[in-house]
Each structure stands twice: as C-alpha cells, then as structure tokens.
C-alpha cells in the first residue's frame, strides 16, 4: 500500500471485503509485513520485483500486507474468493502501490498446537 494510504486499505478490508457466511471459511488473517528492522532474523521482505518496475506503479515506497485464509476445502475457497481473482497483475485501488501478488498454498503437513484460533472476529471488522 502507498505510504500514508494504509488506513484507507485497512478500512476497505475491515468493512467492505466481508466473507460473512462464506461456507468453509475457517479463518482469515490480515497481517502487516515487518522488515528486518523489526527482527534481525527476517530475511524475506516483500520487495518489488522486475515486473513491478513501471512508471505507473509506485513500487519503491510501500507498506506490505499478507492476507491468509484457511478453508475447509479448495471448492469452498474457489466459490467464495478464487472465482473473483483475475489473471495478470494490475492495480485496482488508489491506495495500492504495486499490483497484488497472489499465491494459493496447499498444505502438505501440519501441526496442531495446544492453543486455538481466536474465537471471535477482531474489533471493527465486518464478519
């Protein structure tokens, strides 16, 4: 997100991009990406790549967020989100500094801890 536009993005995510009632949604977690100043062990920052170097993209100055959703099945994800993901890289919102990057992760193995996911949506977020 463009520096100074983070609140606009967060407000849109919290209030307009609702997955209320989406069958199969276990949880969705929007996280700010911290840089190496946050912790010395960070070695992967969400830096722009050569595809982001265009005059109409402000890729050099930004704040990155990663949104991770957990779903009970691929079909549930595709019905709620995947079918709306367009091909290619483009900027859709004024607050975006560079095109969105997307990945779909398929779990290979997992561990379940003793603690549980939060039981409620965080304050100020539409379900």
């Amino acid at each position: 997100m463009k520096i100074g536009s983070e609140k606009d993005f967060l407000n849109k995510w919290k209030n307009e991009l609702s997955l209320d009632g989406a069958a199969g949604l276990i949880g969705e977690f929007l996280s700010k990406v911290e840089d190496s100043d946050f912790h010395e062990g960070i070695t992967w920052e969400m830096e722009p790549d050569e595809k982001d170097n265009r005059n109409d993209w402000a890729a050099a100055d930004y704040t990155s967020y990663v949104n991770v959703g957990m779903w009970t099945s691929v079909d549930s994800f595709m019905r709620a989100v995947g079918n709306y993901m367009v091909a290619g890289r483009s900027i859709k919102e004024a607050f975006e500094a560079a095109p969105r990057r997307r990945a779909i992760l398929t779990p290979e193995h997992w561990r379940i801890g003793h603690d549980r996911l939060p039981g409620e949506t965080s304050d100020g977020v539409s379900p």
Side-chain angles (χ1 to χ4, degrees):
M1 301 308 128
K2 294 176 183 174
I3 299 296
S5 296
E6 296 89 348
K7 284 185 181 180
D8 294 336
F9 164 66
L10 293 172
N11 283 332
K12 179 165 182 114
W13 189 90
K14 291 190 307 185
N15 299 307
E16 296 179 33
L17 301 178
S18 173
L19 291 173
D20 189 26
L25 177 65
I26 296 169
E28 182 182 33
F29 304 87
L30 179 68
S31 302
K32 180 182 171 193
V33 177
E34 301 293 353
D35 62 19
S36 57
D37 291 337
F38 183 81
H39 188 278
E40 64 187 26
I42 294 174
T43 59
W44 180 34
E45 296 180 25
M46 305 304 266
E47 65 280 346
D49 63 24
E50 67 280 352
K51 293 178 184 175
D52 292 333
N53 292 330
R54 288 188 26 184
N55 291 334
D56 56 336
W57 298 344
D61 205 14
Y62 57 88
T63 301
S64 291
Y65 292 86
V66 173
N67 190 44
V68 176
M70 296 175 64
W71 297 84
T72 58
S73 70
V74 172
D75 289 338
S76 294
F77 166 78
M78 291 305 291
R79 278 193 302 276
V81 176
N83 289 332
Y84 301 100
M85 292 170 56
V86 297
R89 295 163 69 119
S90 63
I91 293 177
K92 295 181 179 183
E93 304 286 349
F95 48 70
E96 292 180 308
R100 299 174 191 180
R101 295 186 183 136
R102 294 188 167 107
I104 296 176
L105 309 175
T106 302
E108 295 282 329
H109 302 282
W110 53 87
R111 290 184 178 92
I112 303 299
H114 295 288
D115 289 326
R116 298 290 173 225
L117 294 172
E120 297 178 5
T121 298
S122 59
D123 289 341
V125 176
S126 296

